[in-house]
Protein backbone atom coordinates (compact mmCIF):
# COMPACT_ATOMS: atom_id res chain seq x y z
CA UNK A 1 0.00 0.00 0.00
CA UNK A 2 1.14 3.53 -0.72
CA UNK A 3 2.49 5.09 2.52
CA UNK A 4 0.39 8.23 2.17
CA UNK A 5 -2.73 6.12 1.65
CA UNK A 6 -1.85 4.12 4.75
CA UNK A 7 -1.52 7.31 6.78
CA UNK A 8 -4.92 8.45 5.55
CA UNK A 9 -6.43 5.11 6.55
CA UNK A 10 -4.83 5.52 9.98
CA UNK A 11 -6.39 8.97 10.31
CA UNK A 12 -2.97 10.60 10.52
CA UNK A 13 -1.93 13.70 8.62
CA UNK A 14 1.08 13.46 6.34
CA UNK A 15 3.64 16.19 6.85
CA UNK A 16 5.79 16.28 3.74
CA UNK A 17 6.64 13.71 1.07
CA UNK A 18 7.29 10.00 1.59
CA UNK A 19 11.07 9.48 1.68
CA UNK A 20 12.32 5.87 1.42
CA UNK A 21 14.39 4.49 4.28
CA UNK A 22 16.41 1.30 4.48
CA UNK A 23 13.93 -1.42 5.42
CA UNK A 24 15.80 -4.71 5.26
CA UNK A 25 14.61 -7.73 3.32
CA UNK A 26 10.94 -7.79 4.32
CA UNK A 27 9.32 -4.39 4.59
CA UNK A 28 9.32 -1.21 2.59
CA UNK A 29 9.88 1.72 4.92
CA UNK A 30 9.30 5.44 4.44
CA UNK A 31 9.70 8.52 6.54
CA UNK A 32 6.75 10.88 6.22
CA UNK A 33 7.41 13.86 8.45
CA UNK A 34 7.15 12.71 12.07
CA UNK A 35 6.09 9.21 11.08
CA UNK A 36 7.74 6.04 9.80
CA UNK A 37 5.44 3.93 7.62
CA UNK A 38 6.13 0.22 7.04
CA UNK A 39 4.40 -1.91 4.45
CA UNK A 40 5.18 -5.24 2.76
CA UNK A 41 4.21 -7.08 -0.38
CA UNK A 42 1.60 -9.69 0.62
CA UNK A 43 2.56 -9.82 4.30
CA UNK A 44 1.47 -12.91 6.22
CA UNK A 45 -1.58 -12.26 8.41
CA UNK A 46 -0.63 -10.82 11.77
CA UNK A 47 2.92 -9.79 10.82
CA UNK A 48 2.64 -6.10 11.69
CA UNK A 49 0.46 -6.70 14.73
CA UNK A 50 3.11 -9.05 16.12
CA UNK A 51 5.78 -6.39 15.60
CA UNK A 52 3.62 -3.81 17.35
CA UNK A 53 3.09 -6.16 20.32
CA UNK A 54 6.83 -6.75 20.54
CA UNK A 55 7.62 -3.05 20.52
CA UNK A 56 5.05 -2.43 23.23
CA UNK A 57 6.41 -5.30 25.33
CA UNK A 58 9.95 -3.90 25.14
CA UNK A 59 8.74 -0.38 25.95
CA UNK A 60 6.93 -1.67 29.03
CA UNK A 61 10.24 -3.15 30.19
CA UNK A 62 12.22 0.05 29.86
CA UNK A 63 13.66 -0.29 26.35
CA UNK A 64 13.60 2.71 24.02
CA UNK A 65 11.64 1.88 20.87
CA UNK A 66 9.67 3.96 18.36
CA UNK A 67 6.09 4.37 19.61
CA UNK A 68 3.39 2.63 17.63
CA UNK A 69 0.95 5.16 16.15
CA UNK A 70 -1.24 2.70 14.22
CA UNK A 71 -1.17 -0.92 13.14
CA UNK A 72 -3.23 -2.97 10.73
CA UNK A 73 -2.86 -5.94 8.43
CA UNK A 74 -1.61 -3.60 5.68
CA UNK A 75 1.19 -1.99 7.63
CA UNK A 76 2.54 -0.18 10.65
CA UNK A 77 2.97 3.49 11.52
CA UNK A 78 5.67 4.41 14.04
CA UNK A 79 7.06 7.63 15.39
CA UNK A 80 10.21 8.83 13.65
CA UNK A 81 13.20 8.97 15.98
CA UNK A 82 15.73 11.63 15.06
CA UNK A 83 19.19 10.06 14.63
CA UNK A 84 21.87 10.70 17.23
CA UNK A 85 25.45 9.72 18.07
CA UNK A 86 26.54 6.14 18.65
CA UNK A 87 26.32 5.24 22.33
CA UNK A 88 27.46 1.64 22.78
CA UNK A 89 27.82 2.02 26.53
CA UNK A 90 24.22 3.22 26.75
CA UNK A 91 23.10 0.27 24.65
CA UNK A 92 24.98 -2.12 26.96
CA UNK A 93 23.28 -0.61 30.00
CA UNK A 94 19.84 -0.87 28.38
CA UNK A 95 20.29 -4.51 27.32
CA UNK A 96 21.85 -5.60 30.61
CA UNK A 97 18.86 -4.11 32.44
CA UNK A 98 16.46 -5.88 30.07
CA UNK A 99 18.17 -9.25 30.42
CA UNK A 100 18.39 -8.96 34.22
CA UNK A 101 14.59 -8.77 34.47
CA UNK A 102 12.85 -11.96 35.55
CA UNK A 103 9.46 -13.03 34.29
CA UNK A 104 7.12 -15.65 35.74
CA UNK A 105 7.74 -18.26 33.02
CA UNK A 106 9.06 -18.80 29.52
CA UNK A 107 6.40 -17.45 27.20
CA UNK A 108 5.85 -16.61 23.55
CA UNK A 109 2.77 -15.43 21.75
CA UNK A 110 2.34 -16.61 18.16
CA UNK A 111 4.78 -14.45 16.21
CA UNK A 112 7.37 -14.31 13.48
CA UNK A 113 11.07 -14.40 12.77
CA UNK A 114 11.17 -12.41 9.56
CA UNK A 115 8.03 -13.55 7.78
CA UNK A 116 8.24 -17.11 9.15
CA UNK A 117 5.40 -17.85 11.60
CA UNK A 118 6.31 -19.27 14.99
CA UNK A 119 3.84 -20.86 17.40
CA UNK A 120 2.85 -19.60 20.81
CA UNK A 121 4.00 -21.48 23.87
CA UNK A 122 4.02 -20.97 27.62
CA UNK A 123 5.85 -22.59 30.50
CA UNK A 124 7.83 -25.76 30.80
CA UNK A 125 11.54 -26.50 30.86
CA UNK A 126 13.75 -24.18 28.85
CA UNK A 127 15.43 -26.67 26.51
CA UNK A 128 12.12 -28.15 25.35
CA UNK A 129 10.59 -24.69 25.08
CA UNK A 130 13.40 -23.37 22.88
CA UNK A 131 13.67 -26.44 20.70
CA UNK A 132 9.96 -26.89 20.08
CA UNK A 133 9.05 -23.21 19.73
CA UNK A 134 12.09 -21.88 17.87
CA UNK A 135 14.26 -24.61 16.34
CA UNK A 136 11.80 -27.32 15.33
CA UNK A 137 9.61 -25.19 13.01
CA UNK A 138 12.67 -24.13 11.00
CA UNK A 139 14.18 -27.61 11.13
CA UNK A 140 11.03 -29.09 9.60
CA UNK A 141 10.89 -26.33 6.97
CA UNK A 142 14.51 -26.83 5.89
CA UNK A 143 15.05 -30.59 6.44
CA UNK A 144 15.32 -31.43 2.73
CA UNK A 145 17.96 -28.73 2.20
CA UNK A 146 20.22 -29.63 5.13
CA UNK A 147 22.25 -32.33 3.34
CA UNK A 148 22.04 -34.74 6.26
CA UNK A 149 22.54 -32.20 9.05
CA UNK A 150 18.99 -32.57 10.38
CA UNK A 151 19.71 -35.44 12.82
CA UNK A 152 22.79 -33.59 14.09
CA UNK A 153 20.60 -30.56 14.85
CA UNK A 154 18.10 -32.76 16.69
CA UNK A 155 20.89 -34.27 18.80
CA UNK A 156 22.05 -30.83 20.02
CA UNK A 157 18.98 -30.43 22.23
CA UNK A 158 19.12 -33.85 23.87
CA UNK A 159 21.24 -32.28 26.60
CA UNK A 160 19.92 -29.31 28.60
CA UNK A 161 20.70 -25.73 27.81
CA UNK A 162 21.79 -23.53 30.76
CA UNK A 163 18.96 -21.68 32.48
CA UNK A 164 19.56 -18.43 34.35
CA UNK A 165 15.84 -17.59 34.45
CA UNK A 166 13.08 -16.32 32.14
CA UNK A 167 14.09 -12.94 30.70
CA UNK A 168 12.48 -10.68 28.09
CA UNK A 169 14.27 -10.88 24.74
CA UNK A 170 14.38 -8.82 21.59
CA UNK A 171 14.57 -12.10 19.72
CA UNK A 172 16.31 -10.93 16.51
CA UNK A 173 19.10 -8.77 17.87
CA UNK A 174 21.54 -8.30 15.02
CA UNK A 175 23.25 -4.93 14.67
CA UNK A 176 20.84 -3.78 11.96
CA UNK A 177 18.05 -3.71 14.56
CA UNK A 178 19.95 -1.26 16.76
CA UNK A 179 19.26 2.43 16.15
CA UNK A 180 21.04 5.34 17.80
CA UNK A 181 18.44 8.04 18.30
CA UNK A 182 18.96 11.57 19.56
CA UNK A 183 17.52 10.51 22.92
CA UNK A 184 19.73 7.42 23.12
CA UNK A 185 19.98 3.84 21.81
CA UNK A 186 16.77 2.21 20.58
CA UNK A 187 15.78 -1.23 19.31
CA UNK A 188 13.78 -1.98 16.16
CA UNK A 189 11.96 -4.93 14.57
CA UNK A 190 11.69 -7.30 17.54
CA UNK A 191 10.72 -10.95 17.53
CA UNK A 192 9.85 -10.66 21.21
CA UNK A 193 9.48 -13.55 23.62
CA UNK A 194 10.46 -14.50 27.16
CA UNK A 195 13.38 -16.93 27.17
CA UNK A 196 17.06 -17.09 28.10
CA UNK A 197 19.34 -14.15 27.34
CA UNK A 198 21.74 -16.45 25.53
CA UNK A 199 19.38 -16.28 22.54
CA UNK A 200 19.97 -12.54 22.16
CA UNK A 201 23.69 -12.83 22.87
CA UNK A 202 24.03 -15.56 20.25
CA UNK A 203 22.49 -13.45 17.51
CA UNK A 204 24.62 -10.46 18.52
CA UNK A 205 27.77 -12.58 18.18
CA UNK A 206 26.71 -14.36 14.99
CA UNK A 207 27.19 -11.49 12.54
CA UNK A 208 29.22 -9.10 14.67
CA UNK A 209 28.84 -5.34 14.61
CA UNK A 210 28.94 -4.85 18.39
CA UNK A 211 32.30 -3.33 19.38
CA UNK A 212 34.58 -4.41 22.20
CA UNK A 213 33.45 -1.52 24.43
CA UNK A 214 29.85 -2.73 24.28
CA UNK A 215 30.84 -6.19 25.48
CA UNK A 216 33.09 -4.77 28.20
CA UNK A 217 30.28 -2.68 29.69
CA UNK A 218 27.68 -5.41 29.30
CA UNK A 219 29.99 -7.93 30.96
CA UNK A 220 30.67 -5.58 33.86
CA UNK A 221 26.96 -5.03 34.45
CA UNK A 222 25.80 -8.62 33.87
CA UNK A 223 28.67 -11.12 33.53
CA UNK A 224 28.08 -14.02 31.15
CA UNK A 225 28.81 -17.39 32.79
CA UNK A 226 31.03 -19.85 30.97
CA UNK A 227 28.18 -22.33 30.50
CA UNK A 228 26.12 -19.66 28.72
CA UNK A 229 29.08 -18.80 26.49
CA UNK A 230 29.44 -22.49 25.59
CA UNK A 231 25.74 -22.69 24.69
CA UNK A 232 25.78 -19.78 22.21
CA UNK A 233 26.44 -21.99 19.13
CA UNK A 234 23.33 -24.04 19.96
CA UNK A 235 21.29 -20.84 19.98
CA UNK A 236 22.93 -19.70 16.75
CA UNK A 237 21.65 -22.87 15.06
CA UNK A 238 18.15 -21.37 15.31
CA UNK A 239 19.15 -18.29 13.37
CA UNK A 240 21.24 -20.21 10.86
CA UNK A 241 18.32 -22.52 10.08
CA UNK A 242 16.29 -19.36 9.47
CA UNK A 243 18.95 -18.13 7.05
CA UNK A 244 18.94 -21.45 5.21
CA UNK A 245 15.17 -21.11 4.93
CA UNK A 246 15.21 -17.52 3.67
CA UNK A 247 18.47 -17.38 1.72
CA UNK A 248 19.46 -20.92 0.79
CA UNK A 249 22.19 -23.50 1.18
CA UNK A 250 24.98 -20.95 1.26
CA UNK A 251 24.50 -20.91 5.05
CA UNK A 252 25.06 -24.67 5.49
CA UNK A 253 28.77 -24.15 6.14
CA UNK A 254 28.04 -21.74 8.99
CA UNK A 255 25.39 -24.13 10.30
CA UNK A 256 27.89 -27.00 10.31
CA UNK A 257 30.43 -24.85 12.16
CA UNK A 258 27.83 -23.99 14.84
CA UNK A 259 26.92 -27.66 15.21
CA UNK A 260 30.58 -28.63 15.49
CA UNK A 261 31.19 -25.96 18.15
CA UNK A 262 28.23 -27.08 20.27
Amino acid sequence: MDPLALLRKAGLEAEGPALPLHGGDISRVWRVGRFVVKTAQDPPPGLFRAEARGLQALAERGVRVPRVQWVGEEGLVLEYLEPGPEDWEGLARMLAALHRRREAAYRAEPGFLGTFPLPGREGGAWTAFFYERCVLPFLEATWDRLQGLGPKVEALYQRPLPAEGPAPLHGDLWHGNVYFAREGPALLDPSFFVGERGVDLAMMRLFGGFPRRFWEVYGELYPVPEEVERALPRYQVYYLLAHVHFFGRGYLGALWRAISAS
Side-chain angles (χ1 to χ4, degrees):
M1 176 179 280
D2 175 79
L4 299 181
L6 191 67
L7 280 177
R8 288 194 294 271
K9 180 167 185 176
L12 300 169
E13 184 177 351
E15 300 172 357
L19 305 174
L21 299 174
H22 174 68
D25 301 301
I26 297 168
S27 300
R28 298 189 65 190
V29 186
W30 291 267
R31 179 188 177 184
V32 186
R34 58 192 177 94
F35 301 117
V36 170
V37 180
K38 298 184 68 172
T39 66
Q41 184 71 30
D42 300 321
L47 177 70
F48 291 113
R49 295 186 190 279
E51 181 177 345
R53 287 195 304 271
L55 290 168
Q56 180 63 31
L58 289 174
E60 290 170 353
R61 290 160 175 82
V63 174
R64 183 178 292 104
V65 298
R67 287 189 297 271
V68 176
Q69 306 295 316
W70 182 88
V71 62
E73 288 300 318
E74 309 94 325
L76 180 64
V77 181
L78 305 170
E79 71 168 324
Y80 176 71
L81 299 177
E82 293 286 348
E86 290 188 355
D87 180 5
W88 293 103
E89 294 185 13
L91 179 66
R93 288 191 293 271
M94 187 170 70
L95 287 174
L98 177 71
H99 290 157
R100 276 189 176 278
R101 293 181 66 100
R102 287 295 172 263
E103 309 267 333
Y106 303 117
R107 178 178 56 81
E109 294 188 46
F112 296 85
L113 185 66
T115 55
F116 188 91
L118 293 169
R121 187 179 175 94
E122 185 162 1
W126 167 239
T127 305
F129 180 103
F130 178 70
Y131 177 71
E132 293 172 13
R133 195 270 171 171
C134 297
V135 176
L136 184 58
F138 278 111
L139 182 59
E140 292 175 340
T142 59
W143 188 273
D144 292 341
R145 288 175 277 172
L146 296 182
Q147 298 181 354
L149 293 180
K152 296 183 183 297
V153 171
E154 290 178 317
L156 294 178
Y157 306 96
Q158 298 303 306
R159 64 185 193 276
L161 290 159
E164 298 176 285
L169 306 177
H170 178 280
D172 190 13
L173 195 48
W174 69 294
H175 66 86
N177 284 339
V178 173
Y179 180 79
F180 292 104
R182 185 169 56 192
E183 295 81 6
L187 300 183
L188 309 175
D189 299 337
S191 178
F192 178 86
F193 69 102
V194 176
E196 288 287 335
R197 64 163 167 158
V199 178
D200 273 353
L201 300 181
M203 184 54 159
M204 295 162 74
R205 297 274 180 86
L206 184 58
F207 298 117
F210 294 83
R212 179 189 298 271
R213 185 55 183 157
F214 167 86
W215 292 108
E216 289 173 347
V217 175
Y218 183 95
E220 291 167 3
L221 295 170
Y222 193 11
V224 182
E226 183 179 349
E227 61 268 24
V228 174
E229 290 279 359
R230 289 198 303 265
L232 295 187
R234 284 196 280 167
Y235 294 130
Q236 289 173 342
V237 165
Y238 165 47
Y239 294 111
L240 290 167
L241 287 172
H243 278 70
V244 172
H245 173 73
F246 287 120
F247 307 116
R249 293 178 177 175
Y251 282 91
L252 289 179
L255 177 62
W256 171 243
R257 289 190 291 276
I259 293 169
S260 300
S262 298

